[in-house]
């Protein structure tokens, strides 16, 4: 039986230093646990450190202090157990779609026949099997993002980190990809951390919404979303959750890195 892996952040702090020695505290004392197979959305003001947080969890960037624990192991470098999807698709323009998806498997030395079979199955999962031989420039932005998700899934990670993957898309395409991502999550049951600036997107996707404050960033609200799926954006509970998160974001902007006592872990929707 495959081991389920959650993520635990213990007193996570990140300080950036400039050439003249000045310091900027981006993240400060973050303690939070993400359960295995959960879908969490992370939202906060622009520049609050959401991307930095994902990069630290992915092992791409080290924390100044504290640690990230994946299962029982401390994350110190990138791991095949953690996949990341960026807002920029970063696809190789000289490779066709199926070879883009199979790239990570190729680096691991997976035989060509096997890696192409896995890539083909993932393209079917994201609804792009008919575009396997296309080049990225022949695809729309939404289709390119689905290729990027398939490429991340090709490593079969336990954890999938997504950094505003739909931020550059129009609303109709974004809504369609939100539903496709939820369908993938239902099938694969990966632990997903999804960074977004869009409150509607956070409530629609997440089982949980974590609101971060301005730097030095901490967690100002941790909200459980239990609205049944498929979620109706016009539903009263949905609108109440939107308003609550908007209030939390306003507090995050007003109060900087302070955690508002009584707001954190307060509400369920």
């Amino acid at each position: 039986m495959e081991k389920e892996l959650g993520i635990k952040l213990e007193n996570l702090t990140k300080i950036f230093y400039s050439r003249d020695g000045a310091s900027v505290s981006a993240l400060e004392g973050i303690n939070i646990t993400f359960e295995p197979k959960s879908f969490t959305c992370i939202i906060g003001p622009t520049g609050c450190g959401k991307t930095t947080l994902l990069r630290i969890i992915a092992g791409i960037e080290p924390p100044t202090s504290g640690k990230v624990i994946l299962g029982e192991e401390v994350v110190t470098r990138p791991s095949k157990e953690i996949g990341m999807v960026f807002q920029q698709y970063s696809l190789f323009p000289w490779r066709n779609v199926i070879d883009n998806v199979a790239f990570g498997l190729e680096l691991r030395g997976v035989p060509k026949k096997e890696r192409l079979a896995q890539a083909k199955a993932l393209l079917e999962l994201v609804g792009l099997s008919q575009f396997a031989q296309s080049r990225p420039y022949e695809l729309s932005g939404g289709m390119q993002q689905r290729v990027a998700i398939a490429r991340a899934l090709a490593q079969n990670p336990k954890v999938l980190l997504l950094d505003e993957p739909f931020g550059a898309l129009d609303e109709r395409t974004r809504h369609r990809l939100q539903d496709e991502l939820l369908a993938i999550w239902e099938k694969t049951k990966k632990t997903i951390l999804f960074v977004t600036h869009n409150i509607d997107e956070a409530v629609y996707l997440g089982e949980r919404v974590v609101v971060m404050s301005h730097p030095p960033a901490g967690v100002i609200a941790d909200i459980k979303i239990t609205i049944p799926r498929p979620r109706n954006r016009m539903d009263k509970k949905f609108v109440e959750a939107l308003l609550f998160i908007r209030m939390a974001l306003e507090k995050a902007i007003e109060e900087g890195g302070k955690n508002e006592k009584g707001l954190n872990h307060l509400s369920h929707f």
Side-chain angles (χ1 to χ4, degrees):
M1 184 177 177
E2 284 194 12
K3 190 172 184 180
E4 297 177 357
L5 298 179
I7 302 169
K8 186 176 184 181
L9 311 183
E10 290 189 353
N11 200 31
L12 201 68
T13 296
K14 180 65 178 181
I15 300 173
F16 290 102
Y17 296 92
S18 64
R19 291 182 179 179
D20 61 5
S23 64
V24 176
S25 183
L27 306 172
E28 187 173 280
I30 294 180
N31 293 281
I32 193 166
T33 298
F34 303 102
E35 298 298 329
K37 302 182 179 181
S38 61
F39 196 131
T40 303
C41 289
I42 300 171
I43 195 166
T46 299
C48 75
K50 300 183 294 296
T51 295
T52 297
L53 180 64
L54 285 197
R55 289 173 60 85
I56 292 172
I57 293 172
I60 298 172
E61 191 167 315
T64 304
S65 62
K67 55 189 174 182
V68 177
I69 302 172
L70 177 66
E72 298 176 354
E73 301 291 328
V74 176
V75 175
T76 58
R77 60 181 183 272
S79 164
K80 66 181 181 65
E81 303 291 5
I82 302 176
M84 190 161 179
V85 178
F86 301 91
Q87 185 172 359
Q88 294 76 24
Y89 316 128
S90 302
L91 302 176
F92 300 122
W94 61 88
R95 283 179 169 247
N96 61 25
V97 165
I98 195 166
D99 285 339
N100 264 283
V101 174
F103 178 71
L105 300 174
E106 183 179 342
L107 290 182
R108 285 170 46 195
V110 176
K112 184 174 182 179
K113 185 176 180 180
E114 182 181 342
R115 69 175 181 258
L116 290 180
Q118 291 184 43
K120 181 180 178 182
L122 286 166
L123 287 175
E124 290 176 357
L125 181 66
V126 299
L128 290 175
S129 56
Q130 69 272 38
F131 297 97
Q133 301 304 318
S134 301
R135 293 291 193 273
Y137 66 83
E138 297 177 297
L139 306 180
S140 68
M143 293 164 73
Q144 289 184 50
Q145 192 57 280
R146 281 189 277 169
V147 175
I149 292 171
R151 184 176 59 184
L153 291 172
Q155 300 289 338
N156 195 26
K158 298 292 193 305
V159 176
L160 190 60
L161 311 177
L162 299 106
D163 187 9
E164 294 194 73
F166 309 147
L169 303 175
D170 64 87
E171 185 175 31
R172 183 178 179 184
T173 302
R174 186 169 67 243
H175 285 182
R176 186 171 70 249
L177 291 188
Q178 288 168 2
D179 288 333
E180 291 181 2
L181 180 60
L182 285 172
I184 290 169
W185 174 64
E186 288 290 347
K187 290 177 183 176
T188 64
K189 285 302 180 185
K190 307 293 183 187
T191 304
I192 292 182
L193 303 186
F194 186 104
V195 161
T196 180
H197 277 102
N198 189 299
I199 301 174
D200 176 277
E201 184 167 66
V203 176
Y204 190 78
L205 290 175
E207 295 180 300
R208 178 185 185 190
V209 177
V210 172
V211 183
M212 294 176 64
S213 64
H214 260 311
V219 174
I220 200 169
D222 191 346
I223 305 154
K224 188 175 181 181
I225 308 291
T226 59
I227 301 168
R229 301 187 191 275
R231 291 178 181 164
N232 181 350
R233 288 178 162 88
M234 302 303 293
D235 181 81
K236 180 181 177 182
K237 282 288 185 183
F238 193 100
V239 175
E240 288 176 354
L242 285 179
L243 294 174
F244 184 85
I245 294 170
R246 183 170 289 115
M247 178 186 70
L249 281 171
E250 288 174 357
K251 286 184 176 293
I253 292 169
E254 291 169 4
E255 301 178 20
K258 298 177 183 178
N259 285 350
E260 175 69 6
K261 186 175 180 182
L263 181 61
N264 203 18
H265 302 281
L266 178 64
S267 284
H268 295 229
F269 292 91

